[in-house]
């Protein structure tokens, strides 16, 4: 079953609250690995997104810890960061993150980020 079909529907005010959080989450994630010279080229941005999705390290937990610490430092408290599994809305083995944002969730991996409703059990990831 498609991940988004299992999730709760957000009202417009819930979506607006989650989208505001998504901007802050995206800014925090960009600080994790963004080391492109200014002005930033499209090629460098694409490479950074690829590195976030599939870290060059042999230890993906190290990358997950770094992202988790960055999100916590940005003030988020309900955070999950891990290599994506078969039920996650991300490519398998990419580093996926989820931040609870009111009734919604900010879920992302690599250069992708979505505002979604919660899963039936109330969490952002299974």
């Amino acid at each position: 079953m498609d991940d988004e079909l299992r999730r709760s529907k957000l009202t417009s005010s819930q979506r607006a609250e989650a989208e505001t959080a998504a901007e802050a989450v995206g800014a925090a994630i960009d600080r994790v690995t963004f080391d492109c010279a200014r002005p930033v080229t499209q090629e460098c941005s694409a490479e950074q997104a690829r590195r976030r999705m599939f870290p060059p390290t042999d230890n993906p937990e190290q990358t997950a810890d770094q992202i988790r610490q960055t999100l916590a430092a940005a003030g988020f408290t309900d955070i999950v960061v891990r290599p994506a599994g078969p039920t996650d809305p991300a490519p398998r083995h990419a580093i996926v993150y989820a931040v609870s944002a009111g009734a919604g969730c900010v879920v992302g991996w690599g250069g992708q980020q979505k505002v979604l409703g919660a899963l039936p059990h109330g969490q952002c990831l299974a």
Side-chain angles (χ1 to χ4, degrees):
M1 177 183 234
D2 184 61
D3 178 76
E4 291 188 38
L5 295 176
R6 300 180 319 154
R7 294 178 177 273
S8 64
K9 303 294 181 218
L10 298 176
T11 66
S12 58
S13 63
Q14 290 170 331
R15 179 166 293 285
E17 178 183 13
E19 287 175 350
T20 298
E23 289 178 24
V25 168
I29 294 295
D30 283 348
R31 286 192 296 273
V32 172
T33 58
F34 203 82
D35 57 6
C36 295
R38 303 275 182 212
V40 177
T41 65
Q42 196 169 17
E43 293 81 15
C44 185
S45 293
E47 176 63 16
Q48 290 301 318
R50 188 195 65 72
R51 286 184 189 177
R52 283 191 298 267
M53 182 181 281
F54 300 106
T57 179
D58 290 337
N59 184 357
E61 274 306 314
Q62 182 180 8
T63 302
D65 286 343
Q66 183 182 16
I67 293 170
R68 191 177 303 107
Q69 290 169 7
T70 298
L71 291 171
F76 297 101
T77 56
D78 191 357
I79 305 163
V80 175
V81 185
R82 64 174 186 235
T87 61
D88 290 325
R92 186 92 189 255
H93 304 297
I95 301 298
V96 63
Y97 60 86
V99 176
S100 185
C105 300
V106 179
V107 179
W109 62 94
Q112 304 287 319
Q113 183 172 278
K114 295 181 178 184
V115 170
L116 303 168
L119 290 165
H121 56 58
Q123 302 296 311
C124 293
L125 292 176

